[in-house]
Amino acid sequence: MEPIQLHKLWIDCLANDRKAQSELYRYFASKMYAVCLRYAENSEAAQDILQNGFIKVFGRAKDFSGTGSLEGWIRRIMLNTAIEHYRKNKNLIFQTDSISDRDFESTSSSSLQYLNYKDLLALVQELPLGYRTIFNLYAIEGYNHKEIAEMLDISEGNSKSQLSRARQSLKERIMKLEEITDERSRF
């Protein structure tokens, strides 16, 4: 969609035009669903977050100042809605064991040569919800541990611990994939 068309569509959404809102939803739904899915325990929860997020988008439409991108503003609402979903459900159980330096060792670059973007996303999606939430907020969204702790009502140490565990889990999964790939290439 051209920027001019998107702007016109947004103006119509501001006027509570249901057809325009439906069109805007269709235009952004798949991208925003991917954001929601990263923070949801399953696809049904992601769909709920998406729906609630768009209700907020249309309810707060007048709050969009026009500075920055509309997509970025909608994405931020989806992220905040996902965090609210977490807070309401309190399904995450965070472990608070201490962090050791070895937890922060990086995965070897040779392990990553076998992965494409979709494989890596699938591995992240398989992480336990607590690990995945912290990993996504830190590694993908760019929040620091203090911000994450405030968002999720946990300690900074807990955030660091969860990120460390997520990284370690991903490292182990990548290494297993590398072993499987190496074995297959031998035959």
Side-chain angles (χ1 to χ4, degrees):
M1 181 175 295
E2 295 291 322
I4 292 173
Q5 292 172 312
L6 186 58
H7 179 72
K8 165 89 171 82
L9 186 61
W10 182 246
I11 297 299
D12 292 345
C13 287
L14 286 169
N16 287 323
D17 180 329
R18 298 293 181 217
K19 184 178 176 187
Q21 289 174 342
S22 178
E23 190 173 336
L24 188 82
Y25 175 88
R26 282 191 308 274
Y27 182 72
F28 285 115
S30 63
K31 285 182 183 179
M32 297 306 138
Y33 178 74
V35 171
C36 297
L37 190 58
R38 286 202 317 260
Y39 297 95
E41 54 274 12
N42 55 45
S43 60
E44 291 82 20
Q47 192 65 39
D48 288 345
I49 294 167
L50 180 71
Q51 297 302 321
N52 289 333
F54 270 105
I55 289 169
K56 290 177 185 179
V57 165
F58 297 128
R60 298 177 185 167
K62 290 179 178 27
D63 293 344
F64 178 62
S65 65
T67 59
S69 75
L70 177 60
E71 182 175 341
W73 182 76
I74 292 171
R75 179 185 168 88
R76 179 77 169 168
I77 289 175
M78 293 300 160
L79 178 60
N80 288 336
T81 303
I83 290 168
E84 286 174 20
H85 175 80
Y86 154 75
R87 285 183 180 158
K88 284 181 187 174
N89 293 307
K90 294 288 183 185
N91 287 340
L92 303 178
I93 300 173
F94 292 103
Q95 299 172 0
T96 57
D97 295 346
S98 63
I99 305 167
S100 69
D101 289 337
R102 106 183 142 73
D103 288 338
F104 289 103
E105 293 172 5
S106 64
T107 303
S108 71
S109 59
S110 65
S111 298
L112 296 175
Q113 72 183 356
Y114 298 107
L115 289 178
N116 65 38
Y117 177 72
K118 288 185 179 187
D119 292 334
L120 189 55
L121 284 180
L123 289 175
V124 170
Q125 195 64 25
E126 291 173 2
L127 289 170
L129 187 56
Y131 295 0
R132 183 172 23 134
T133 300
I134 302 286
F135 181 84
N136 284 323
L137 288 171
Y138 185 87
I140 296 175
E141 304 296 339
Y143 289 101
N144 64 42
H145 290 294
K146 182 178 180 181
E147 293 168 323
I148 294 168
E150 289 172 3
M151 280 185 222
L152 301 179
D153 293 326
I154 60 174
S155 70
E156 283 184 59
N158 200 334
S159 177
K160 291 175 184 178
S161 177
Q162 293 295 307
L163 178 63
S164 173
R165 292 172 194 281
R167 286 178 171 169
Q168 187 63 33
S169 180
L170 285 171
K171 179 180 176 181
E172 290 168 4
R173 291 167 191 238
I174 290 169
M175 290 172 71
K176 284 180 186 175
L177 282 176
E178 184 178 45
E179 289 171 10
I180 292 169
T181 304
D182 284 346
E183 283 188 23
R184 287 182 182 163
S185 66
R186 289 182 207 158
F187 295 106

